[in-house]
Amino acid sequence: QVQLVESGGGSVQAGGSLRLSCTAPGFTSNDCDMDWYRQAAGKQREWVSSITTDGNTAYADSVKGRFTISKDKAKDTVYLQMNSLKPEDTAMYSCNAPHACTLCSAGFCFSSTPRWGQGTQVTVSS
């Protein structure tokens, strides 16, 4: 099963920026809609942002105006640009494909729902 991989997390001070990346190594996934979620310690996972294959985007109110989701089709990577970070943004961030999509590798394509990645930790200090 195809697993997503997130990267780009780290520790920053409030007001700083980070850019998270989400890929499916070894596979092309441009046909996949993609979501970003986050889970802070002791809290439930919450939806952060979504991007469709058509490029339509959506954001949680808590990040609107500060975060930008995008997709680089040439690199087959989904990004989450996070600006003006706040301590309350501290969480483990994960990407997820909300439904089955077409994945290709070495010319072979199939429909599958990629698995959640391990996530990437974002820590914002005040």
Side-chain angles (χ1 to χ4, degrees):
Q1 198 169 8
V2 178
Q3 184 163 21
L4 299 170
V5 175
E6 303 92 343
S7 62
S11 297
V12 296
Q13 291 191 328
S17 299
L18 286 171
R19 189 179 74 163
L20 307 184
S21 300
C22 172
T23 63
F27 296 86
T28 59
S29 57
N30 284 320
D31 184 49
C32 302
D33 296 341
M34 205 65 70
D35 300 333
W36 279 100
Y37 284 80
R38 66 186 182 186
Q39 187 168 20
K43 295 187 178 181
Q44 288 190 329
R45 181 186 292 163
E46 66 170 338
W47 170 76
V48 174
S49 183
S50 296
I51 188 166
T52 69
T53 54
D54 294 333
N56 295 314
T57 60
Y59 300 92
D61 288 342
S62 59
V63 306
K64 199 172 293 183
R66 300 187 297 122
F67 290 11
T68 303
I69 191 170
S70 63
K71 184 162 191 174
D72 185 330
K73 290 189 175 181
K75 295 183 178 180
D76 201 25
T77 300
V78 172
Y79 298 103
L80 185 68
Q81 177 67 45
M82 306 186 297
N83 299 328
S84 303
L85 283 162
K86 304 175 181 180
E88 51 263 44
D89 294 318
T90 295
M92 182 71 76
Y93 285 71
S94 301
C95 58
N96 176 58
H99 45 72
C101 51
T102 302
L103 300 163
C104 300
S105 179
F108 175 70
C109 297
F110 56 96
S111 179
S112 180
T113 304
R115 292 176 57 190
W116 287 87
Q118 296 297 312
T120 185
Q121 177 67 36
V122 172
T123 303
V124 185
S125 58
S126 58

